[in-house]
Amino acid sequence: DLKGVEYGWDNEHPERQVQVDKFRIEWRPVSNGEFYEFYQIGGKDLVKLPASWVEIDGQIQVDNI
């Protein structure tokens, strides 16, 4: 009997409720160019670079490893 059993990954516990304000979402994924533009105009303070992007000598590029 699984009644009352809460399913979730280890980072999804404990259960909690949060209020999410109104937001808009696009129907398609964000392109690299769109993300880079966002990052350059103020996103640096809000998000980290994707793991596959590196900054070398002040230049941001996709890591080719």
Side-chain angles (χ1 to χ4, degrees):
D1 182 25
L2 296 176
K3 188 175 183 175
V5 174
E6 181 183 317
Y7 174 79
W9 300 105
D10 60 348
N11 64 344
E12 297 175 329
H13 293 283
E15 181 180 341
R16 54 201 163 278
Q17 294 184 6
V18 296
Q19 176 67 38
V20 178
D21 294 332
K22 186 189 295 188
F23 64 94
R24 194 181 101 191
I25 190 166
E26 292 290 329
W27 65 272
R28 62 177 173 76
V30 174
S31 71
N32 282 341
E34 290 168 333
F35 178 82
Y36 181 71
E37 182 180 340
F38 159 76
Y39 187 80
Q40 290 296 97
I41 62 170
K44 294 178 189 183
D45 300 327
L46 302 173
V47 297
K48 294 184 204 176
L49 286 175
S52 62
W53 293 23
V54 293
E55 189 168 355
I56 300 173
D57 297 328
Q59 298 270 343
I60 296 174
Q61 52 191 299
V62 176
D63 194 357
N64 62 359
I65 293 178

